[in-house]
Amino acid sequence: MASSVGPSRARKVTLRDVAQLAGVSVATASKALNGRDEVSEETRRRVTEVAERLAFTPNTLAQSILAGRSGTVGLLTNDLDGRFSLPILMGAEDAFGAGQMSVFLCDAREDAIREQHHLKALLGRRVDGLIVVGSKTDPRPPLGSKVPVPVVYAYAPSTDPADSSVVVDNVRAGRAAVEHLLATGRRHVAHVSGDVSYSAARDRAAGAGAALAEAGLDHVGPVRYGSWSEAWGRAAVAALLDADEPVDAVVCGSDQIARGVLDALRDRGVRVPDDVAVVGFDNWEPMISGSRPGLTSVDMRFQDMGRRAAERLFAALDGSDHPGVEAIEPRLVVRGSTVPEA
Amino acid sequence: MASSVGPSRARKVTLRDVAQLAGVSVATASKALNGRDEVSEETRRRVTEVAERLAFTPNTLAQSILAGRSGTVGLLTNDLDGRFSLPILMGAEDAFGAGQMSVFLCDAREDAIREQHHLKALLGRRVDGLIVVGSKTDPRPPLGSKVPVPVVYAYAPSTDPADSSVVVDNVRAGRAAVEHLLATGRRHVAHVSGDVSYSAARDRAAGAGAALAEAGLDHVGPVRYGSWSEAWGRAAVAALLDADEPVDAVVCGSDQIARGVLDALRDRGVRVPDDVAVVGFDNWEPMISGSRPGLTSVDMRFQDMGRRAAERLFAALDGSDHPGVEAIEPRLVVRGSTVPEA
DNA sequence: CTGTTAGCGCTTTCAC
DNA sequence: GTGAAAGCGCTAACAG
């Protein structure tokens, strides 16, 4: 027959329909379906059966309006296209998905106006809470003081330290990279990083520098800041080798830079890891999987960050929160670029 | 003072509060704020002013329950971590964001159970429609016949051709790649692709083969299926060159494979594009930007696909839809791997 | 155990 | 112009 697939314009089935067909009142039907124990088993059976048959789906909107909670949260991201917000978002979705929460996704694209617009829409929809995901590790201004629901900032913390934020620990990450290199016998560590205007670049370099200092060492040459690209990694290698200082390890500000460094070293006939070891940051699958040899990298655990953000939001929802900034501990993943593969 | 930042437990301000403070009835306040022209300018001014002052945000839930429409749509994806769903999702968010729609995001992770679970939650929240995003181009079973709202499938079409689906045109993409190679004087085209179990791999090869056939040519050697990795691209080059048949172009099943092919050719001293031209698919930024030379690639326009899916959903919402499968036309992006750079 | 009543926050007749 | 009343779908309190 004709539009058997078309959007069934049939009026949605309501609890009243169910009650009617089951021959009980709406109140009783409600109790039966919600497992309240003030109904006879017989009635419950009958109601459940009818509900099933009519494919009744309770209107959560109506429930929410009563309960005062909607069971939804807003995820306000700023670089949906970026590499960071996505895993964070997954982690959050993960933590929520377990329960009954649904997630509203909005991309503000670094535009404060758009962000306020989305914020308004979300509050109108009575979200129970918000997670705000930034695109850089640099602190960002808070949403505004009069947001009536708990907010957790992820990746980019709020500039207000009293707000709840979950961030990566870039200093520690830089330290981890260098400690690994020192532990595997390297002594001449160069550092090639990305855009110096990113706190991620500076913090990682600071952590690396501190770890070197503790061993009585210093970076070979200056920290070379540039851009977050493979091309910069390649260019930096040229400068590095031409400088003619001994180098037996390169810490790279990102996996992409590291990939460029690896390729350039290979072109020049420098053996990795025999002559020079290379470490990256982010443990980003697409870069890692194609590298020769496999790239040792510091995983910033974005997904866990999203999970933690969700957990903290939950905590805030039942008032058991302890606001402030929480840093996720990075995790070093060792591969062939620092240690010969088996 | 103490918890100035804590979740203000203050009861949400309602329309009644506004009405009371403005000295009018709820009905009048409603009319005033909604721009109905049955209120005096003076009253409207007063009400608006009070609403502003109290930071009144109308409860969309209550509005939705009345209107019968919630102004929300569900985005049911299956590989949030993948490369395809994200741009699609962005395109959709884009198209919706313009209006008043909010988007629920759910990741089913290829798990039918989880998908049904999310579906139920979304229907309970009374979404007005659904977009279902797959992770492969292979058709997928529809959600189920008794979904009471319009559904549009993106990337992975529904197996039911009567459903509304928006897909990429892989055959055409394969054809576009080869036509470009032929137009730039290539005659010996090899084909290295990914996992043969993916229709994307087979369709692209079919399109490429058809274009070659029309020129009285055939692929050099068999279409070499493997995996969607750089490593496979490198391995395939070895096999290809050892086969000792003349080759002046390689069509690669993905940018990742192409990247491997480029690197291997470079290692072997084969010049690109002088000796051999290389084309990839997806125009995926991370792979493109690091390639030497820049990689010519067929852009599948995922974001536009998401946008179209959203537009079709809109159409379905006001009944002006024409279900069926719609293919997005791919777009060739020429770079240095096929044509010498300026 | 069951049904009646009230009410969540809002919009919409329909009298005044 | 304005407000009282009804009602969207549902749950909670209280009678019966």
Side-chain angles (χ1 to χ4, degrees):
Chain A
M1 55 171 294
S3 66
S4 65
V5 201
S8 84
R9 284 276 162 266
R11 199 178 47 73
K12 279 267 167 48
V13 9
T14 106
L15 185 55
R16 191 164 56 198
D17 302 332
V18 176
Q20 221 147 37
L21 237 158
V24 296
S25 74
V26 221
T28 306
S30 170
K31 288 170 197 156
L33 293 177
N34 290 342
R36 320 287 256 78
D37 50 342
E38 318 140 87
V39 269
S40 75
E41 261 327 304
E42 157 58 10
T43 306
R44 186 190 311 276
R45 209 197 40 67
R46 195 149 33 88
V47 173
T48 316
E49 198 266 323
V50 172
E52 195 84 12
R53 188 148 51 80
L54 298 189
F56 167 70
T57 319
N59 188 333
T60 312
L61 269 40
Q63 296 179 152
S64 304
I65 212 177
L66 266 293
R69 302 175 313 97
S70 63
T72 62
V73 301
L75 208 20
L76 206 40
T77 176
N78 274 297
D79 81 324
L80 199 40
D81 58 326
R83 308 206 307 277
F84 312 116
S85 55
L86 189 58
I88 294 170
L89 193 152
M90 283 186 66
E93 220 256 341
D94 214 32
F96 287 135
Q100 307 298 348
M101 287 279 170
S102 290
V103 177
F104 276 120
L105 174 72
C106 302
D107 187 4
R109 317 214 183 139
E110 312 280 18
D111 178 353
I113 305 289
R114 203 189 304 257
E115 184 170 274
Q116 284 301 319
H117 175 90
H118 278 142
L119 176 60
K120 190 141 196 174
L122 290 172
L123 292 179
R125 301 217 135 84
R126 292 301 185 263
V127 292
D128 296 332
L130 288 165
I131 294 182
V132 178
V133 183
S135 59
K136 311 169 50 176
T137 61
D138 300 75
R140 51 151 289 153
L143 282 184
S145 51
K146 40 216 273 187
V147 178
V149 296
V151 181
V152 176
Y153 297 84
Y155 201 61
S158 165
T159 46
D160 183 344
D163 285 337
S164 187
S165 303
V166 182
V167 301
V168 300
D169 190 337
N170 279 317
V171 175
R172 186 141 191 167
R175 177 179 288 279
V178 165
E179 282 170 352
H180 168 62
L181 292 173
L182 294 177
T184 51
R186 311 292 169 164
R187 285 294 175 274
H188 308 283
V189 181
H191 199 119
V192 177
S193 195
D195 190 331
V196 70
S197 76
Y198 284 62
S199 63
R202 300 191 305 273
D203 290 347
R204 288 167 185 178
L212 284 172
E214 283 167 21
L217 298 170
D218 196 1
H219 276 128
V220 174
V223 174
R224 294 165 197 268
Y225 293 103
S227 68
W228 301 106
S229 68
E230 292 188 53
W232 163 240
R234 294 193 295 259
V237 164
L240 209 57
L241 297 187
D242 290 348
D244 224 31
E245 281 186 276
V247 172
D248 61 11
V250 185
V251 174
C252 304
S254 74
D255 288 338
Q256 224 158 339
I257 294 172
R259 178 70 189 268
V261 166
L262 280 179
D263 285 353
L265 288 174
R266 183 184 192 79
D267 285 354
R268 294 246 185 167
V270 178
R271 294 170 310 162
V272 175
D274 314 67
D275 303 329
V276 172
V278 176
V279 186
F281 292 95
D282 294 345
N283 197 32
W284 189 32
E285 173 56 31
M287 284 302 126
I288 296 295
S289 68
S291 292
R292 287 175 294 170
L295 179 63
T296 292
S297 185
V298 183
D299 190 313
M300 306 311 277
R301 299 174 57 206
F302 297 125
Q303 193 156 344
D304 288 327
M305 205 171 76
R307 213 185 319 271
R308 274 304 291 152
E311 286 165 6
R312 295 193 83 185
L313 192 56
F314 272 136
L317 288 180
D318 46 58
S320 62
D321 60 325
H322 301 282
V325 180
E326 168 179 342
I328 298 289
E329 176 135 359
R331 190 173 52 87
L332 180 80
V333 180
V334 178
R335 296 199 184 81
S337 69
T338 56
V339 169
E341 265 153 348
Chain B
M1 56 170 295
S3 66
S4 65
V5 201
S8 86
R9 286 274 162 267
R11 202 177 46 74
K12 279 266 168 46
V13 14
T14 107
L15 185 54
R16 192 164 56 194
D17 303 333
V18 176
Q20 221 146 37
L21 235 159
V24 296
S25 74
V26 228
T28 307
S30 170
K31 287 169 196 158
L33 292 177
N34 291 342
R36 321 288 257 78
D37 50 343
E38 318 142 88
V39 267
S40 75
E41 261 327 305
E42 158 58 10
T43 306
R44 166 157 310 149
R45 208 195 41 66
R46 196 148 33 88
V47 172
T48 317
E49 198 266 323
V50 172
E52 195 83 13
R53 189 148 51 79
L54 298 188
F56 168 70
T57 318
N59 188 330
T60 313
L61 269 40
Q63 296 179 150
S64 303
I65 211 178
L66 268 293
R69 303 176 310 97
S70 64
T72 62
V73 303
L75 208 22
L76 205 40
T77 176
N78 273 297
D79 81 324
L80 198 42
D81 59 326
R83 307 210 306 278
F84 312 116
S85 56
L86 189 58
I88 294 170
L89 194 152
M90 282 187 67
E93 220 256 340
D94 214 33
F96 287 134
Q100 306 300 348
M101 286 281 171
S102 290
V103 177
F104 275 120
L105 174 71
C106 303
D107 186 4
R109 318 221 181 130
E110 311 279 19
D111 178 352
I113 306 289
R114 203 190 302 259
E115 184 170 274
Q116 286 300 319
H117 175 90
H118 278 142
L119 176 59
K120 189 139 198 178
L122 291 172
L123 292 179
R125 301 219 135 83
R126 291 301 186 264
V127 292
D128 296 332
L130 288 165
I131 294 182
V132 178
V133 182
S135 59
K136 311 170 50 176
T137 60
D138 300 74
R140 50 150 290 153
L143 282 185
S145 52
K146 39 216 273 189
V147 179
V149 295
V151 181
V152 177
Y153 297 84
Y155 201 61
S158 165
T159 46
D160 182 345
D163 285 337
S164 187
S165 303
V166 182
V167 300
V168 300
D169 190 337
N170 279 317
V171 175
R172 186 139 191 169
R175 176 179 287 281
V178 165
E179 282 170 352
H180 168 61
L181 292 173
L182 294 176
T184 50
R186 311 292 168 163
R187 284 295 174 273
H188 308 283
V189 180
H191 199 118
V192 177
S193 196
D195 190 331
V196 70
S197 75
Y198 283 61
S199 64
R202 300 191 306 272
D203 289 349
R204 288 168 184 176
L212 284 171
E214 284 168 21
L217 298 170
D218 194 2
H219 275 129
V220 174
V223 174
R224 294 166 197 268
Y225 293 102
S227 68
W228 301 106
S229 68
E230 292 188 51
W232 163 240
R234 294 194 295 259
V237 164
L240 208 59
L241 297 187
D242 290 348
D244 226 33
E245 281 186 277
V247 172
D248 62 10
V250 184
V251 174
C252 304
S254 75
D255 288 339
Q256 224 158 339
I257 294 172
R259 178 69 189 269
V261 166
L262 280 180
D263 284 353
L265 288 174
R266 183 184 192 79
D267 286 353
R268 295 245 183 167
V270 178
R271 293 170 310 162
V272 176
D274 314 68
D275 303 328
V276 172
V278 176
V279 186
F281 291 95
D282 295 344
N283 196 34
W284 189 32
E285 173 56 30
M287 284 301 128
I288 296 296
S289 67
S291 292
R292 288 174 296 170
L295 179 62
T296 293
S297 186
V298 183
D299 191 313
M300 307 311 275
R301 298 173 60 205
F302 296 125
Q303 193 156 346
D304 289 326
M305 206 172 74
R307 214 186 317 272
R308 274 303 291 153
E311 286 166 6
R312 294 194 81 183
L313 191 56
F314 272 135
L317 288 180
D318 47 59
S320 62
D321 61 324
H322 301 282
V325 180
E326 167 180 341
I328 299 289
E329 174 135 2
R331 190 174 52 88
L332 180 81
V333 180
V334 178
R335 297 198 183 83
S337 69
T338 56
V339 169
E341 266 155 347

